[in-house]
Each structure stands twice: as structure tokens, then as C-alpha cells.
Amino acid sequence: MYKNIEEFNSKIKSVLITEEEIKAKIAEAAKEIDSWYDGTPILLVSILKGAFVFMADICRAVTVPCEIGFMCAQSYYSGTQSSGIVNITMDLEQDITNYHVVIVEDIIDTGRTLNDVVKLLKARGPKSLRIVTLLDKPARRVVELKADVTLFTIPDKFIIGYGLDCGEYFRNLPYIAEFKEEKN
Ligand code: IMP
Ligand code: MG
């Protein structure tokens, strides 16, 4: 918990990606999504909570008819290996066999959670499945996983804003910033 607004603001080290840059990339990504489906309806799925801001913007930028779905997922790991077991605390309402699914993700870091979600959704037999991620931190990847569209590739820094949090704060920043870590 932050003592005051000054302490809170001091955690925002520097702006990494501005609102304008995000907006421009979203317009490009939405055009690409539209081009894949040629007007065929799709289901946009995002994993809460991090991707909720990105979802809100990308769903308003695509022009193909789309439904929106949310999931809450937690993965279990032994060491650095993903177990492939993913605990779904909130699931989609839709039976996805009739859908072209597009996963809308905030960030691919180690790749473990998304990898497990992809396996789970593929096992349900959707018509197709693609991944769109706002951010990619390839330096930290543990599980091989590539998105179909990545808006920004970033260095190995802890970032906040535009849906991403540190201790549940900063999700509402309209830009993406580097978090100021404590020096020990
Ligand atoms: P992973 O790919 O399974 O390691 O998990 C990715 C999840 O970790 C993301 O969906 C975020 O919620 C969180 N995450 C990873 N890197 C960051 C970061 O730099 N800032 C905030 N959350 C992050
Ligand atoms: Mg996430």
C-alpha cells in the first residue's frame, strides 16, 4: 500500500510506450485481424485481469463481427517446467467448436500460462485459434510460444500500466511505463 500520491507516482520510472504509440499499433493489428477472417464472425478471448484494457481497445478497432469472452487461469509449475495443468477459475460461456478464436493477451513473459491456455482451448476443437499479444518479453521465455501478432517487443524490464499491474496498482495508467524497483 502506498502512503501517499508522491510515493505512488515515484514508482513510475519512465514512460516506455505512449498512448499514441499504442493507439497506432492497435489500428494496424486490428486491420490484420480483419484480413484473416474476411467478415466471418470471431470470438475474442482474453485472460483476466491484465488484458482487459487491451481487449477494450482492440475489440473497438476490429470490424469483423465479434463476440467477447473472458477467462481466469492459473498454471502450476514444477521448477521451470509448465505442468500443462491449468486451473480455470472462470471459464468461457461459449462452446468454442463453432468459433474462430483469437486470444487477446497482455504480455508473453515466460509463456507458461498462455501455453497451457492454448493447449486447453485447442483440445476443445475451435475452428481456428490465433494469438495477438500487446507485449512480448522474449528474453524471459521458458516455453516456446509465438504470437501471430505482437504489437511491441520489449526488453527484460518490469512494466506497468495499460492493464498491467504491480501489486494490483497501476492498471489504469493510459500508457506503458517501467516500474521503479527498490534498490537493496
Ligand atoms: P507467463 O508468460 O506465464 O510468465 O505469465 C505472463 C503473465 O505475467 C502476464 O499475463 C502478466 O499478468 C504477468 N507479467 C509478466 N511480465 C509482467 C510485467 O513486466 N509487468 C506486469 N505483469 C507482468
Ligand atoms: Mg495476463
Side-chain angles (χ1 to χ4, degrees):
M1 192 67 88
Y2 296 99
K3 285 198 292 285
N4 51 44
I5 190 76
E6 287 76 22
E7 189 194 3
F8 179 82
N9 287 336
S10 76
K11 293 293 177 187
I12 306 167
K13 190 172 172 186
S14 59
V15 177
L16 217 58
I17 308 170
T18 65
E19 279 185 79
E20 291 70 27
E21 288 168 326
I22 297 170
K23 206 172 170 191
K25 282 280 186 189
I26 284 182
E28 282 175 27
K31 271 203 184 118
E32 185 153 4
I33 295 171
D34 285 344
S35 76
W36 293 336
Y37 303 104
D38 194 27
T40 307
I42 61 171
L43 173 65
L44 296 174
V45 173
S46 72
I47 305 156
L48 295 172
K49 300 177 192 171
F52 82 104
V53 178
F54 181 39
M55 172 66 112
D57 282 344
I58 199 98
C59 76
R60 288 178 295 172
V62 296
T63 61
V64 284
C66 70
E67 287 183 41
I68 312 291
F70 293 100
M71 294 175 82
C72 249
Q74 279 175 321
S75 285
Y76 297 104
Y77 312 113
S78 57
T80 56
Q81 285 300 301
S82 175
S83 64
I85 300 166
V86 58
N87 180 30
I88 305 295
T89 55
M90 189 183 101
D91 206 344
L92 297 169
E93 297 152 6
Q94 296 89 344
D95 167 357
I96 64 170
T97 50
N98 290 321
Y99 288 91
H100 291 286
V101 174
V102 179
I103 298 178
V104 174
E105 180 60 310
D106 54 352
I107 185 166
I108 307 179
D109 189 29
T110 65
R112 292 185 288 204
T113 309
L114 189 58
N115 188 56
D116 287 349
V117 170
V118 165
K119 271 195 229 161
L120 179 105
L121 292 183
K122 275 189 178 161
R124 293 180 182 177
K127 283 183 173 166
S128 67
L129 182 82
R130 284 189 168 104
I131 302 167
V132 175
T133 187
L134 174 69
L135 300 159
D136 188 2
K137 249 197 246 180
R140 292 199 11 112
R141 196 74 91 257
V142 171
V143 177
E144 194 57 49
L145 183 70
K146 254 193 94 61
D148 296 279
V149 172
T150 299
L151 278 67
F152 301 97
T153 300
I154 58 164
D156 184 11
K157 289 178 172 171
F158 194 81
I159 52 118
I160 50 172
Y162 198 75
L164 289 123
D165 73 307
C166 183
E168 292 300 325
Y169 284 102
F170 305 104
R171 293 191 193 275
N172 60 324
L173 296 180
Y175 50 82
I176 293 164
E178 186 180 343
F179 181 73
K180 191 165 194 168
E181 317 242 17
E182 294 300 332
K183 286 211 169 65
N184 296 315

